[in-house]
Amino acid sequence: MEAVKLGSTTVGIPTSEGVVLGVEKRVQLPLSELSSTEKTMEIDTHLGCTMSGLTADARTMIDHARVTSQNHALTYDEKIKVDRVPFIWFAILPCGLVRVHDEDAMMSRPFRVALLNGGVDKGENEG
């Protein structure tokens, strides 16, 4: 329950030009610097994401989405659709599998993060 209290507010606003993602940044620890906290990340050139919760879990999921997005681009010669990103995360969410230092070892626990993704598909807001 304590992890829920540490979360921050994230918003996504669709516009005619694309989408605006925003996130509240709060200093959780007295020795942490606000400018070093990164809560908005780019998945691909047309996709972005904001996070609320445990940053380490978010980075794991965003790195997975980045790799999947690049694999999609190399395989199909097109950028991944924005509405496919939640399915990327859905594949790893139920078990919360995270690789640890040992290749044979897997750690399983729930991800304690909420992600809000947004982006623009090619040609969606043209014309």
Side-chain angles (χ1 to χ4, degrees):
M1 196 62 166
E2 195 63 31
V4 174
K5 294 177 186 176
L6 295 177
S8 54
T9 303
T10 63
V11 294
I13 303 169
T15 69
S16 60
E17 299 290 321
V19 64
V20 177
L21 297 173
V23 63
E24 171 193 25
K25 288 171 124 182
R26 291 183 287 180
V27 177
Q28 299 293 342
L29 302 170
L31 296 177
S32 65
E33 187 176 332
L34 188 61
S35 63
S36 69
T37 307
E38 187 176 357
K39 296 261 186 183
T40 305
M41 302 181 108
E42 182 180 284
I43 296 172
D44 204 342
T45 56
H46 68 296
L47 283 169
C49 180
T50 61
M51 67 184 87
S52 176
L54 296 181
T55 307
D57 287 352
R59 285 188 182 135
T60 299
M61 294 181 70
I62 289 170
D63 285 346
H64 180 73
R66 286 176 176 160
V67 169
T68 305
S69 177
Q70 293 302 311
N71 283 339
H72 182 89
L74 290 171
T75 303
Y76 300 106
D77 198 28
E78 67 179 12
K79 294 180 185 251
I80 194 166
K81 300 274 187 195
V82 175
D83 62 355
R84 299 304 301 166
V85 175
F87 294 104
I88 295 170
W89 291 324
F90 182 72
I92 62 171
L93 270 179
C95 45
L97 294 178
V98 180
R99 285 246 181 236
V100 291
H101 296 295
D102 184 7
E103 281 295 319
D104 297 327
M106 292 291 276
M107 178 178 71
S108 180
R109 64 169 177 75
F111 288 112
R112 297 182 190 271
V113 66
L115 299 171
L116 176 66
N117 71 293
V120 177
D121 288 327
K122 182 179 179 182
E124 189 172 290
N125 51 339
E126 293 175 0

